[in-house]
Amino acid sequence: MVTFFQQVVNGLQLGLVYALIALGYTMVYGIVKLINFAHGDVFMVGAFMGYIGYTFIKLPWPVALVMALLTCAVIGVINERLVYRPLRYAAKISALISAIGASFFIEYFTSLNFVFTPNYISFTPPIKEITWIVGGVRITDIQVVILVTVAAFLALLQLLIFRTKLGLAMRTVSFDHDAARLMGVDVDKTISFTFFVGSGLAGIGGVLFGFAYPQIWTFMGVMTGLKAFIAAVLGGIGILPGAVLGALIMGQVEILTSAYISSQARDAIAFAILIIVLLIRPSGILGRNEPEKI
Amino acid sequence: MNKTKQMVLALVGVAVLDLVLWILIRIGIIGPYWQIILNESMIYVIGGLGLSIIYGFTGQFSLGHAAFVGIGAYCAGWFAITFSHYGIWASLGSLVVGMVSAGLVGYLIGVPILRLKSDYLGIATLGFNFIVYDGMQNSDKLSSVLGGAQGMTGVPQFQTFEWYFVTAVIVFILVRNLVFSSHGRACTAIRENETAADVVGVSPARTKIMAFTVGCVLAGLGGALYAHNYPYVNPDSFSFLESINYLIIVVLGGLGSMTGTVITAVGWAFLLEVLRMFLSLLGPSFINLRGVLYALILVIVIILRPQGIFGGIEASFLVPHIGRRKSDAAAGS
Amino acid sequence: MMKRTKWVALLLVVLFVFSVALAGCAPKTQSNVIKIGLIVPLTGNVATFGQSIQNAFNLAIKQAGGTVGGYTIQTVMADDQNTANQATAVATKLCTQDKVSAIVGSATSLTTIPISVVCEQYHVPFVTPTATNVRVTMDPNRKLYAFRACFIDPFQGLAGATFDYNNLHAKTAAVMFDETNAYSSGLKDNFVKAFTQLGGKIVAQMAYTTNDTDFSADLTQIAKLNPDVLYLPDYYQKVSLIGGQARNLGVKSTFMGGDGWDSSDLNFAVMNGGYFTNHYSADDPSPMVVKWVSDYKAAYGSVPDALATLGYDATLIVLQGIRSAQSTDPTKIRDAIQNLNGYQGVTAKFSFGPDGNPVNKPAVVLQINGPAKKYNFITEVAPS
């Protein structure tokens, strides 16, 4: 039984990291109906920035975290401006291809020797590892840090979206761009801001990921980003609590499948469960089944 | 000039192209390495046309196309190895096996999945891609011939370009006929507006499943050819990244344009090789730039032409004449 | 609209013709030049392997003065990115376009198995420094043009199992392996077979994929089962990740592994105390090893790992083959390599059996010395 709780804790750690990335995906999708393929790579840049911050510049880790946040936020905005804005009112699929191109670009560009490196980098995280044993279950301080950070940013995000004018603008734009313009909302700035926040979250996710799994690589964003994206869809794409819910579920499913069904077929079973959920609730768990307008 | 003349001219052009390439291969200007690339481009044409039917013409967003190519490759490869004592008949049979296996799986998966909409369908097909990938990694448990993570070797190799070219041409003609038949029109109707199509009597479920199955059959054929073009079949060739390659080919070529898919498939296969050659000429340190340049080209092309290079354009001789002819009008019909 | 299409079509035709022309203009080989190819993963997930082998290859050729048997050496480098498709492509290019007479490469079984098929097809001999999977040379029959400078995984698995059972007195073992990695799953099979035959018990066999980073589910189970040994037959970067998580989750087992651990990028602190089977030890006092270590250090500033050392041996084997054959004909070179009799390399005296593998090649067991960031030599395991 204790082992079960341990596995739940393991799944929680994984799920929380996915949550930070999934939030960014869902925010961007909500406002511009685009699957930001490059989001996973922004996460990767965050992990690298954090690493550079606390290993080379010897910053205390919260400062490195902020540095990563800001770098990724800026990259997200630049990405939007250069690659997505020209295609904003074109076919969705064209924007997706553009996003794929942006994703490849970030991956291969950072792999060049004069940027980051194509090798894996293993390092010691700046947080000294302390483990507490609560009722037989091992909990590390890093897990607590991740939990606190995710909870804090989720709360901040809720505050932003529902209590500020900017948040109101974001919600308006997500409904209809033209109507928002008529209401005096600067659509371009709002979208840029959304990317700023979403990418910043991914950056934080990257740094925290580096604490939990201290090995970074320029292609680490591919799978993790994909899983976070699936989590966002699972919970209902465009819905913030859905992203977190989906991410937590993904984390649990992955870990518990590996522990109790088969570690061999972990991914396959996790995806099979995903497909079954989608067949039952086609718009995601918290998704609204919007009737198609003719 | 009228359609028939154009069509004949096109066929002659195709035959001439084949002859030219045949000569270039015989005299050795095109070496074995480039033959493999030529064959590869034909495989991408066939697989690409498959995804074109599914997504370009019927609007079903499939992110798992490479899985079906892989199913075709492994089934065909297994068949060709197990029955290799029958010589060339085994390989021809393996093509059929590849098509049937991929088509069957496509049908079985399509029935439940195709009711999902757009992005969700994409996720589901992507998930299926992973499931198949995982299965391939463990395939040695099913049969040691399949090799599992250690790959499958021993498939008899046929690298004569003519086989691939002729197959691709036949597939293209069949696809073109499908697209301009009533079935094809049903597909585009579904793509444009599913509800309206339903109202006019086009069954969304049946059309989507038919299109998906046909697309998967073509993917399977591409896979079967793949197994005969490369001496080593391993799961990494059928990961979701490969599915994205097919998606890029179809979208960049222009959704709903067969000409676009064909030309982009060939161009794409060659682009990567040309980049490699060009960069290695510059020096060993430039080889790393290949991925960066590829990504830049991708982004620039799609921004400059969001509808795809051949979006909305189809070679005119392919499109059948609909409606009254001039002669009928003149005669007052 | 049609006009633009015509231009695009024209552009594509030009691109095609251009690439064909490029293909055609392969420079003619001069009569006293011999081309030797190198295929290694310079980028991708095992980049340090490729870099080590490349360093050794270049050093060996430099030490030979850039000539062998009267021919001037022209090297052709290719990066296989540690993927099978790239390996197939570059091997085909080297054999058919560049027309090399021999190849050194590649580093892993995943890439070397397809290379072996291509080289067999085009009759070009190759010597792989470190690909240990059996199928590189025998699949199931011998590929005559395939050779390797290292031991094979059945022996490596046996060596590891023997060491654990006899030296560490381990009765139980758990294995975690990468099911998407030909090397990892192959070595795992061999270890499991050997350990069970010796009388040990395998309490768990857990698979993960190359993209996985979270192993907490498996490690929690393993901590509960508490085997004597946790066998990790994978590359250095995966192992570093697993090792760190293992200790955090309370796994007390001794870590054991294979030659994939050998890299300067291994996390020495986390893997401290772990053992692994390898091809050579830098502390070996024999004169060839001492000279090799100091030469490499002088050229590249670090102690050579097993990959560099075997890369060096593989290159020496190719060069000796060319010297014996006195020819650029790949088949003659292949015969010369097959007939080598006790040729002195750094890691052994090389003679090749009918299976293309070096005869009587021993393995060493090394232990990770975390604080000193090096390996301690423990023992040598000779083939029975």
Side-chain angles (χ1 to χ4, degrees):
Chain A
M1 206 50 199
V2 169
T3 330
F4 175 73
F5 283 118
Q6 178 69 60
Q7 300 290 28
V8 170
V9 168
N10 294 336
L12 200 61
Q13 170 180 311
L14 194 59
L16 286 169
V17 175
Y18 286 153
L20 280 172
I21 311 171
L23 278 169
Y25 263 118
T26 225
M27 282 176 73
V28 165
Y29 189 89
I31 203 165
V32 281
K33 300 286 178 288
L34 165 77
I35 302 172
N36 183 6
F37 233 78
H39 197 64
D41 302 290
V42 172
F43 155 83
M44 175 272 292
V45 172
F48 270 84
M49 283 284 118
Y51 164 74
I52 293 174
Y54 47 70
T55 313
F56 293 116
I57 317 181
K58 306 277 189 224
L59 294 168
W61 67 262
V63 181
L65 193 77
V66 172
M67 179 181 105
L69 191 164
L70 290 173
T71 322
C72 291
V74 168
I75 290 180
V77 171
I78 294 176
N79 201 13
E80 192 274 323
R81 191 70 187 74
L82 279 179
V83 177
Y84 302 150
R85 192 179 296 190
L87 295 170
R88 194 185 295 167
Y89 299 109
K92 257 178 61 185
I93 186 66
S94 308
L96 178 64
I97 298 289
S98 185
I100 293 175
S103 165
F104 285 169
F105 180 79
I106 298 178
E107 285 161 15
Y108 286 104
F109 186 70
T110 52
S111 296
L112 294 174
N113 278 312
F114 63 84
V115 185
F116 291 158
T117 170
N119 296 342
Y120 282 76
I121 303 181
S122 294
F123 57 91
T124 344
I127 300 183
K128 215 164 162 302
E129 184 92 26
I130 315 171
T131 315
W132 301 290
I133 308 195
V134 176
V137 174
R138 297 175 153 251
I139 300 182
T140 63
D141 55 343
I142 291 179
Q143 284 170 340
V144 173
V145 168
I146 294 177
L147 178 64
V148 168
T149 317
V150 175
F153 276 101
L154 192 58
L156 278 172
L157 206 60
Q158 286 290 101
L159 220 81
L160 171 74
I161 306 266
F162 291 104
R163 302 269 178 193
T164 67
K165 231 173 161 191
L166 259 172
L168 184 60
M170 287 164 76
R171 279 183 286 143
T172 319
V173 174
S174 76
F175 271 108
D176 189 305
H177 289 208
D178 290 323
R181 275 196 198 97
L182 288 172
M183 293 290 121
V185 174
D186 186 335
V187 170
D188 285 340
K189 281 216 180 74
T190 312
I191 292 178
S192 292
F193 182 71
T194 312
F195 270 84
F196 186 88
V197 173
S199 305
L201 282 174
I204 298 174
V207 177
L208 292 177
F209 185 91
F211 291 165
Y213 311 105
Q215 187 172 82
I216 56 180
W217 177 43
T218 46
F219 288 85
M220 64 192 273
V222 178
M223 265 319 265
T224 317
L226 192 69
K227 290 196 175 149
F229 168 61
I230 291 172
V233 173
L234 194 63
I237 191 99
I239 300 170
L240 286 167
V244 178
L245 181 65
L248 291 174
I249 295 178
M250 274 292 284
Q252 289 304 321
V253 165
E254 258 195 73
I255 296 288
L256 293 176
T257 310
S258 181
Y260 294 108
I261 303 181
S262 159
S263 76
Q264 205 103 352
R266 176 210 334 234
D267 274 345
I269 294 184
F271 280 107
I273 294 178
L274 162 77
I275 293 179
I276 293 172
V277 169
L278 278 179
L279 288 175
I280 301 172
R281 291 222 27 116
S283 297
I285 300 176
L286 296 180
R288 290 174 291 254
N289 219 337
E290 276 169 23
E292 200 185 308
K293 294 211 175 86
I294 310 244
Chain B
M1 88 173 97
N2 74 29
K3 297 282 181 190
T4 334
K5 241 190 180 166
Q6 277 188 347
M7 228 179 289
V8 169
L9 211 64
L11 278 172
V12 169
V14 161
V16 167
L17 179 65
D18 189 18
L19 189 67
V20 167
L21 288 170
W22 185 84
I23 294 175
L24 286 176
I25 291 174
R26 287 291 165 276
I27 52 179
I29 289 186
I30 298 184
Y33 177 60
W34 286 98
Q35 255 205 74
I36 295 181
I37 306 293
L38 276 170
N39 297 343
E40 196 189 6
S41 68
M42 292 297 111
I43 293 173
Y44 275 112
V45 164
I46 296 173
L49 282 171
L51 186 59
S52 197
I53 292 179
I54 297 176
Y55 186 45
F57 286 97
T58 322
Q60 301 306 298
F61 187 41
S62 169
L63 274 176
H65 204 60
F68 295 99
V69 178
I71 291 174
Y74 270 94
C75 292
W78 174 86
F79 188 86
I81 294 176
T82 318
F83 296 101
S84 56
H85 38 276
Y86 289 108
I88 193 160
W89 295 108
S91 288
L92 287 174
S94 73
L95 294 184
V96 176
V97 169
M99 290 194 282
V100 168
S101 56
L104 193 64
V105 175
Y107 179 79
L108 292 171
I109 292 293
V111 169
I113 277 188
L114 285 167
R115 71 182 78 165
L116 294 171
K117 297 271 183 298
S118 187
D119 293 330
Y120 300 99
L121 178 62
I123 302 281
T125 45
L126 184 65
F128 178 69
N129 202 158
F130 275 101
I131 295 173
V132 170
Y133 179 76
D134 229 2
M136 288 175 184
Q137 297 288 8
N138 291 305
S139 59
D140 50 345
K141 298 197 178 56
L142 200 60
S143 158
S144 63
V145 169
L146 296 170
Q150 299 175 51
M152 177 169 69
T153 52
V155 181
Q157 297 285 286
F158 288 100
Q159 281 157 354
T160 17
F161 174 63
E162 279 62 56
W163 291 106
Y164 295 83
F165 188 71
V166 169
T167 316
V169 169
I170 294 176
V171 165
F172 182 74
I173 294 175
L174 290 173
V175 168
R176 180 261 169 202
N177 288 339
L178 175 70
V179 163
F180 289 109
S181 68
S182 61
H183 300 290
R185 274 197 288 280
C187 292
T188 30
I190 296 291
R191 179 189 73 197
E192 293 303 314
N193 193 320
E194 210 172 301
T195 321
D198 200 1
V199 166
V200 238
V202 173
S203 158
R206 271 184 45 188
T207 315
K208 288 199 273 190
I209 292 173
M210 180 219 64
F212 194 74
T213 311
V214 171
C216 291
V217 165
L218 289 181
L221 178 59
L225 290 171
Y226 179 95
H228 289 92
N229 191 35
Y230 292 101
Y232 182 70
V233 178
N234 79 316
D236 286 323
S237 314
F238 310 111
S239 64
F240 86 95
L241 285 173
E242 192 64 17
S243 288
I244 293 194
N245 287 338
Y246 281 104
L247 187 71
I248 289 175
I249 288 174
V250 170
V251 176
L252 222 54
L255 292 176
S257 166
M258 291 174 291
T259 332
T261 307
V262 170
I263 296 184
T264 313
V266 176
W268 187 86
F270 277 93
L271 174 71
L272 289 175
E273 284 314 308
V274 167
L275 274 179
R276 190 213 300 265
M277 301 224 73
F278 181 61
L279 288 171
S280 56
L281 279 177
L282 288 178
S285 50
F286 284 86
I287 298 182
N288 298 341
L289 283 179
R290 188 162 161 242
V292 177
L293 285 178
Y294 169 64
L296 275 175
I297 292 174
L298 196 61
V299 172
I300 291 173
V301 171
I302 198 73
I303 289 182
L304 287 179
R305 243 185 113 74
Q307 69 270 50
I309 303 175
F310 290 89
I313 302 173
E314 195 76 83
S316 58
F317 62 85
L318 292 172
V319 180
H321 182 88
I322 305 169
R324 291 154 57 171
R325 294 186 200 283
K326 274 202 190 121
S327 46
D328 294 342
S333 95
Chain C
M1 255 316 195
M2 267 311 276
K3 229 183 177 174
R4 179 116 62 112
T5 320
K6 284 211 175 78
W7 282 115
V8 174
L10 191 66
L11 177 68
L12 284 163
V13 170
V14 168
L15 194 73
F16 176 65
V17 171
F18 175 64
S19 56
V20 170
L22 258 186
C25 70
K28 301 274 174 286
T29 315
Q30 296 157 281
S31 56
N32 65 335
V33 168
I34 189 164
K35 284 184 173 170
I36 304 180
L38 177 72
I39 303 179
V40 281
L42 294 170
T43 57
N45 61 348
V46 288
T48 62
F49 290 176
Q51 284 153 12
S52 289
I53 297 176
Q54 187 183 44
N55 287 349
F57 178 79
N58 287 336
L59 185 58
I61 294 195
K62 187 154 153 246
Q63 285 179 345
T67 65
V68 62
Y71 301 102
T72 315
I73 300 175
Q74 189 183 343
T75 60
V76 184
M77 307 271 182
D79 176 10
D80 64 25
Q81 299 176 344
N82 201 32
T83 61
N85 289 339
Q86 284 298 315
T88 311
V90 300
T92 312
K93 178 171 167 292
L94 255 57
C95 292
T96 60
Q97 292 287 110
D98 302 293
K99 297 209 176 24
V100 298
S101 298
I103 292 178
V104 172
S106 177
T108 66
S109 308
L110 173 70
T111 45
T112 315
I113 294 176
I115 289 174
S116 70
V117 179
V118 172
C119 284
E120 190 67 8
Q121 193 178 357
Y122 295 109
H123 298 315
V124 175
F126 77 95
V127 182
T128 168
T130 48
T132 48
N133 193 298
V134 180
R135 288 175 62 188
V136 170
T137 57
M138 309 274 294
D139 193 10
N141 298 322
R142 168 78 193 286
K143 285 174 259 198
L144 294 170
Y145 288 79
F147 297 93
R148 70 177 107 215
C150 54
F151 49 60
I152 54 176
D153 281 337
F155 172 63
Q156 189 176 191
L158 178 63
T162 314
F163 177 78
D164 288 347
Y165 196 77
N166 294 339
N167 299 52
L168 297 179
H169 306 293
K171 297 281 177 292
T172 54
V175 183
M176 284 178 66
F177 67 102
D178 182 344
E179 64 172 8
T180 60
N181 180 339
Y183 161 76
S184 187
S185 66
L187 184 54
K188 177 266 304 180
D189 285 336
N190 288 303
F191 176 83
V192 163
K193 193 165 119 192
F195 194 72
T196 322
Q197 264 174 2
L198 284 167
K201 185 164 176 310
I202 302 284
V203 299
Q205 281 188 55
M206 290 166 162
Y208 52 86
T209 68
T210 313
N211 289 314
D212 287 334
T213 48
D214 187 303
F215 305 96
S216 50
D218 296 340
L219 289 167
T220 308
Q221 297 289 91
I222 290 175
K224 200 165 129 202
L225 294 165
N226 201 17
D228 298 319
V229 160
L230 175 57
Y231 191 62
L232 300 171
D234 202 342
Y235 303 135
Y236 57 94
Q237 0 84 326
K238 261 302 168 281
V239 165
S240 300
L241 208 51
I242 298 175
Q245 292 178 23
R247 292 301 181 221
N248 289 340
L249 285 162
V251 172
K252 298 194 184 46
S253 321
T254 310
F255 293 143
M256 182 77 198
D259 60 332
W261 286 27
D262 192 354
S263 167
S264 49
D265 278 358
L266 182 77
N267 191 332
F268 283 81
V270 148
M271 301 306 291
N272 185 30
Y275 300 91
F276 67 105
T277 47
N278 204 5
H279 305 274
Y280 104 114
S281 166
D283 297 327
D284 190 336
S286 81
M288 278 285 299
V289 178
V290 169
K291 178 170 186 303
W292 157 245
V293 172
S294 77
D295 285 346
Y296 191 89
K297 250 171 138 167
Y300 299 108
S302 57
V303 172
D305 54 19
L307 288 115
T309 314
L310 287 166
Y312 188 70
D313 274 349
T315 316
L316 290 181
I317 291 170
V318 166
L319 293 176
Q320 183 61 19
I322 298 171
R323 254 180 237 118
S324 301
Q326 278 298 312
S327 163
T328 57
D329 179 355
T331 309
K332 292 210 176 89
I333 297 174
R334 177 228 100 81
D335 292 335
I337 295 176
Q338 181 72 59
N339 293 326
L340 284 177
N341 196 353
Y343 175 67
Q344 180 69 56
V346 174
T347 57
K349 282 195 159 78
F350 284 93
S351 306
F352 290 97
D355 53 5
N357 302 327
V359 169
N360 288 332
K361 208 145 193 275
V364 299
V365 177
L366 303 175
Q367 187 179 32
I368 309 274
N369 185 336
K373 271 198 152 192
K374 66 187 285 285
Y375 313 128
N376 296 337
F377 173 76
I378 302 294
T379 180
E380 190 178 275
V381 181
S384 43

